[in-house]
């Protein structure tokens, strides 16, 4: 099969309020289940007004998922109930596997008045929902950059491009996470495993992912691809920057309430019972 993946859907990120009052844009979330399986949610918290993000995300629990924070500007201060604390700085990524449970806070901090990044949620299959929590914390310098001669630069956070493998490893959904910048009027092609879900989220410039070059897209457009062995992107005059994700679908029932995603409502009830009676944390990260 040599067919390039078609553009199946284009969605526009929509404004919403999360945490203690953070105004952000959501590319997809619980309303879109199961279209983006194994991915559950993508939040875009690029913002120019401090009041949009300073309320932050005070103490909250997670179970059954992984959360991936990738910062472009500013930083997020992170602290959890087990004493693990750190900062995700511009250009860095934190891949947090909540597994059986983590209780943490995430507080955006501007640098030179600027703040912006993305949080992706990746589902865990039933077999791994209660795995031990873990972090993969990757600095900007640890993320390899691949330059392709005809005008594309790719930051490889997770997955492989041209024999360069990103630093985030051993993730259950076998995901790719790329930050792709395409020069003006240039063309990019990338292989994708067949049967894997593939999506792109535009973060600058404009262009098209349609192999027939229709469907122009711009900042804050989300593209879901049909199946096939590769995707293509063509930039227009301003060039084009997008995040690209692919992953192996889990194909399991999703029971989702707030920051906890399990397979059944009974498992959700149990999680919230445990959070209330203090038995939520099973294992220190
Ligand atoms: Fe969180």
């Amino acid at each position: 099969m040599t067919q390039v993946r078609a553009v199946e859907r284009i969605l526009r990120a929509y404004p919403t309020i999360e945490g203690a009052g953070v105004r952000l844009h959501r590319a997809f979330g619980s309303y879109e289940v199961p279209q983006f399986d194994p991915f559950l949610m993508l939040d875009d918290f690029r913002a120019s007004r401090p009041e949009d993000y300073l309320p932050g995300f005070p103490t909250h629990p997670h179970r059954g998922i992984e959360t991936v924070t990738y910062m472009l500007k500013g930083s997020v201060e992170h602290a959890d109930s087990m004493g693990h604390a750190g900062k995700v700085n511009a250009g860095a990524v934190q891949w947090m596997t909540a597994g059986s449970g983590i209780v943490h806070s995430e507080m955006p901090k501007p640098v030179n008045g600027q703040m912006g990044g993305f949080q992706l949620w990746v589902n865990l299959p039933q077999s791994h929902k209660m795995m031990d929590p873990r972090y993969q914390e990757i600095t900007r310098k640890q993320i390899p950059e691949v330059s392709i001669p005809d005008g594309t630069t790719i930051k490889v956070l997770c997955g492989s491009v041209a024999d360069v493998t990103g630093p985030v490893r051993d993730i259950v959904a076998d995901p790719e996470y790329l930050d792709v910048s395409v020069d003006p009027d240039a063309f990019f092609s990338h292989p994708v495993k067949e049967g894997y879900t593939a999506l792109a989220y535009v973060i600058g410039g404009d262009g098209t992912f349609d192999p027939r070059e229709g469907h122009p897209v711009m900042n804050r457009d989300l593209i879901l691809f049909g199946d096939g062995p590769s995707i293509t992107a063509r930039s227009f005059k301003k060039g084009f920057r997008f995040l690209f994700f692919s992953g192996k679908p889990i194909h399991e029932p999703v029971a989702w309430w707030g920051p906890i995603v399990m397979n059944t409502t009974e498992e959700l009830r149990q999680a919230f019972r445990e959070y209330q009676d203090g038995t939520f944390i099973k294992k220190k990260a």
Side-chain angles (χ1 to χ4, degrees):
M1 185 175 167
T2 55
Q3 213 180 339
V4 174
R5 288 184 180 224
V7 170
E8 194 168 285
R9 279 197 75 184
I10 298 173
L11 290 99
R12 188 95 189 114
Y14 52 91
T16 186
I17 296 180
E18 261 304 340
V22 176
R23 291 176 189 276
L24 49 79
H25 283 78
R26 177 155 295 157
F28 62 96
S30 55
Y31 295 126
E32 282 75 34
V33 168
Q35 290 181 69
F36 295 90
D37 182 16
F39 304 109
L40 292 165
M41 193 181 86
L42 178 63
D43 278 355
D44 173 352
F45 49 94
R46 289 174 294 164
S48 51
R49 300 186 316 165
E51 61 267 35
D52 284 351
Y53 54 81
L54 283 178
F57 306 89
T59 307
H60 58 276
H62 288 290
R63 175 178 285 175
I65 59 169
E66 305 184 271
T67 70
V68 187
T69 307
Y70 177 42
M71 295 302 291
L72 295 186
K73 291 173 176 174
S75 66
V76 167
E77 282 180 10
H78 172 266
D80 71 25
S81 48
M82 284 82 70
H84 179 103
K87 227 177 188 186
V88 189
N89 292 315
V93 60
Q94 182 201 62
W95 200 294
M96 184 190 89
T97 305
S100 60
I102 277 180
V103 177
H104 74 167
S105 63
E106 298 156 287
M107 303 305 283
K109 301 287 174 197
V111 174
N112 298 324
Q114 297 198 300
M115 213 288 304
F118 307 94
Q119 189 167 87
L120 174 76
W121 287 13
V122 189
N123 204 1
L124 287 167
Q126 185 175 32
S127 57
H128 287 73
K129 280 200 178 288
M130 294 301 283
M131 71 186 280
D132 288 346
R134 64 177 182 185
Y135 293 94
Q136 296 191 45
E137 286 177 311
I138 313 290
T139 63
R140 182 178 57 83
K141 286 191 178 140
Q142 291 172 295
I143 297 174
E145 212 169 274
V146 180
S147 289
I148 293 174
D150 47 348
T152 307
T153 310
I154 304 152
K155 291 182 179 145
V156 187
L157 282 61
C158 184
S160 297
V161 175
D163 298 332
V164 174
T165 300
V168 178
R169 306 281 169 94
D170 303 321
I171 302 293
V172 184
D174 189 26
E176 279 182 305
Y177 191 154
L178 310 177
D179 176 352
V180 184
S181 296
V182 187
D183 279 355
D185 291 315
F187 179 79
F188 168 68
S189 170
H190 179 68
V192 187
K193 289 181 186 166
E194 287 194 56
Y196 277 38
T197 302
L199 51 138
Y201 182 64
V202 182
I203 61 172
D206 51 14
T208 178
F209 293 94
D210 180 357
R212 293 182 304 276
E213 302 199 2
H215 301 299
V217 286
M218 57 187 278
N219 191 30
R220 295 206 169 110
D221 281 337
L222 172 77
I223 294 87
L224 175 64
F225 294 94
D227 204 2
S230 67
I231 62 114
T232 59
R234 173 169 289 286
S235 59
F236 299 152
K237 287 193 170 54
K238 287 185 279 189
F240 200 17
R241 184 173 178 189
F242 57 88
L243 306 177
F244 176 79
F245 310 93
S246 73
K248 187 180 182 184
I250 291 170
H251 298 305
E252 287 179 5
V254 171
W256 183 344
W257 200 91
I260 297 178
V261 185
M262 304 302 288
N263 295 109
T264 68
T265 48
E266 179 44 39
E267 289 166 340
L268 278 186
R269 269 192 220 109
Q270 187 185 339
F272 282 96
R273 244 185 346 251
E274 290 178 0
Y275 189 50
Q276 265 158 11
D277 69 20
T279 58
F280 184 77
I281 299 296
K282 304 297 177 198
K283 171 97 182 171
K284 292 192 169 194

